Amino acid sequence: MRLLNTIIHVFMLATVLTMTAAAQKRTYKVEEASARKVPAWVNSAGKDYLCVTAAAADIEAAKAAVLEDIKKQIAQSIATRIVSESLLTTSTVQTGSNMDKTSTLESSILSRTARLPYIGEISLSKVSDYYWERRRDRSTGLITYFYAVKYPFTEFEMKKLVLEYQAHDKSLDERLSGYEGETDFITSIEQIGETIGELGLLQAEFDSLDPRYDRVQNLIAKYRSLYDRITVNIVQEKKGMAVACLYLDGRSISTGQRPVFQSECLTDITYSYEGNSLVIGYNDEYCYEDDDNTLTVRFRAGNKYISGTIRISL
């Protein structure tokens, strides 16, 4: 009797499952498909490939959604692997705040992994198989397209991309460390601006969650502050000629700029560079003892101007 009850119970369960599946199937009708039978790989997980599906109002939108999902899945897989290997290397214990740090680290890595060249090269032309259906909802008549692809992604490719990321990440660390050690070796006004521009590009490599993002931000501010420490010093002045030099924290620096001159009486002002020195020539025949016999020389430093004033000897 117990056996009979068990058989009845199993039969009833199978009937319910069959009815449920049938009910689910009845929610839409497949009007057209790329194959007579749904391939076995659809909605399955397999070694060395991803199965990605999407549904949309038209076939092109479904393809676009699938392509985007492939990129996201691969980027997430790489980010997860990198975080996992990082934790193994540092022997991090995932408890409490460390779990939050791990999540933050993964989010930061994911945003950068998504920009790897490999991700940009992902294309539906590389799929090993695909399947699609044109579906009509039985209750609303709404048409949707279901699209599925089998995209090759091997363990070898995974390891290769992880190594590519790690090598690039190491190079970013080295670049950042290099910039941090160069502020005492600036040789020109132009070098400051060029370095700030390069640091802006470097900062774009990091997600705002990455601690290095703030390090670069602080470094940019540090380089900008160098402009405030540049002075124009007059090192020599005699009738018809003067020599000016730029100094940064007491060190002579150069510039290739065309200086701006201002004087109420001097004419025929000329200039040339000799090393880091600006040699200025002028005609003072229209200057008089009671005049303001000065010459101001001005340079641009970032978004400000720095200047020095020469008092002319008659």
Side-chain angles (χ1 to χ4, degrees):
M1 186 70 177
R2 182 178 297 175
L3 177 61
L4 179 60
N5 287 337
T6 301
I7 293 173
I8 292 172
H9 177 73
V10 171
F11 176 77
M12 290 177 64
L13 179 61
T15 301
V16 170
L17 291 174
T18 302
M19 290 176 64
T20 301
Q24 291 175 340
K25 185 178 180 180
R26 285 196 297 269
T27 59
Y28 65 86
K29 178 183 178 182
V30 177
E31 294 190 334
E32 191 178 359
S34 59
R36 294 184 63 182
K37 292 180 62 177
V38 179
W41 55 263
V42 175
N43 294 319
S44 68
K47 183 180 179 182
D48 293 340
Y49 74 86
L50 298 175
C51 173
V52 183
T53 66
D58 62 75
I59 192 70
E60 294 304 320
K63 287 181 179 181
V66 162
L67 181 61
E68 189 61 27
D69 200 17
I70 294 171
K71 294 179 179 180
K72 288 180 179 178
Q73 285 195 37
I74 292 179
Q76 182 65 63
S77 298
I78 299 167
T80 301
R81 175 69 67 87
I82 292 168
V83 170
S84 176
E85 292 187 2
S86 298
L87 296 178
L88 288 173
T89 301
T90 58
S91 301
T92 300
V93 179
Q94 294 192 23
T95 57
S97 61
N98 284 332
M99 286 290 287
D100 296 333
K101 290 178 181 178
T102 300
S103 177
T104 299
L105 176 62
E106 184 163 343
S107 296
S108 175
I109 291 174
L110 177 58
S111 70
R112 293 173 54 210
T113 303
R115 299 197 297 267
L116 285 173
Y118 178 91
I119 303 299
E121 294 168 1
I122 291 173
S123 167
L124 293 184
S125 65
K126 298 180 180 180
V127 303
S128 58
D129 202 357
Y130 69 93
Y131 173 76
W132 60 266
E133 293 177 347
R134 183 177 185 269
R135 298 172 174 178
R136 180 183 294 276
D137 188 280
R138 292 180 183 276
S139 60
T140 65
L142 184 67
I143 297 294
T144 58
Y145 285 85
F146 170 81
Y147 198 80
V149 299
K150 185 178 182 182
Y151 196 89
F153 186 59
T154 65
E155 179 66 16
F156 174 78
E157 287 173 310
M158 168 73 83
K159 291 179 178 178
K160 181 181 177 182
L161 289 169
V162 168
L163 290 174
E164 179 184 328
Y165 176 95
Q166 291 171 336
H168 182 59
D169 197 59
K170 182 180 178 182
S171 73
L172 294 177
D173 272 336
E174 292 171 349
R175 284 170 59 191
L176 179 52
S177 296
Y179 285 122
E180 287 175 330
E182 286 181 356
T183 53
D184 293 333
F185 300 96
I186 294 297
T187 60
S188 70
I189 290 181
E190 288 76 13
Q191 186 181 355
I192 299 173
E194 290 168 2
T195 302
I196 291 172
E198 291 167 3
L199 285 169
L201 296 176
L202 179 60
Q203 188 178 41
E205 292 274 3
F206 303 119
D207 183 88
S208 59
L209 297 172
D210 192 316
R212 291 172 294 185
Y213 184 92
D214 289 335
R215 280 175 63 190
V216 178
Q217 187 68 34
N218 292 334
L219 196 54
I220 290 173
K222 185 176 181 180
Y223 271 90
R224 285 201 175 114
S225 72
L226 296 179
Y227 288 130
D228 298 324
R229 308 210 299 267
I230 298 175
T231 59
V232 181
N233 294 356
I234 310 306
V235 297
Q236 184 181 353
E237 189 278 322
K238 62 182 181 179
K239 187 174 178 60
M241 189 269 286
V243 179
C245 287
L246 294 169
Y247 285 90
L248 171 60
D249 294 338
R251 293 182 293 105
S252 175
I253 63 171
S254 67
T255 183
Q257 290 184 44
R258 179 186 180 90
V260 176
F261 298 105
Q262 184 176 355
S263 175
E264 292 183 0
C265 63
L266 297 178
T267 60
D268 301 328
I269 300 172
T270 62
Y271 77 93
S272 63
Y273 284 107
E274 295 182 7
N276 288 356
S277 299
L278 175 68
V279 180
I280 307 165
Y282 51 82
N283 183 348
D284 62 5
E285 65 177 309
Y286 299 107
C287 298
Y288 300 94
E289 291 290 347
D290 295 334
D291 290 340
D292 180 19
N293 299 319
T294 58
L295 173 64
T296 299
V297 55
R298 188 174 66 175
F299 298 92
R300 187 171 184 85
N303 58 0
K304 59 173 286 186
Y305 288 96
I306 53 175
S307 61
T309 299
I310 306 168
R311 185 158 296 279
I312 303 303
S313 299
L314 296 179

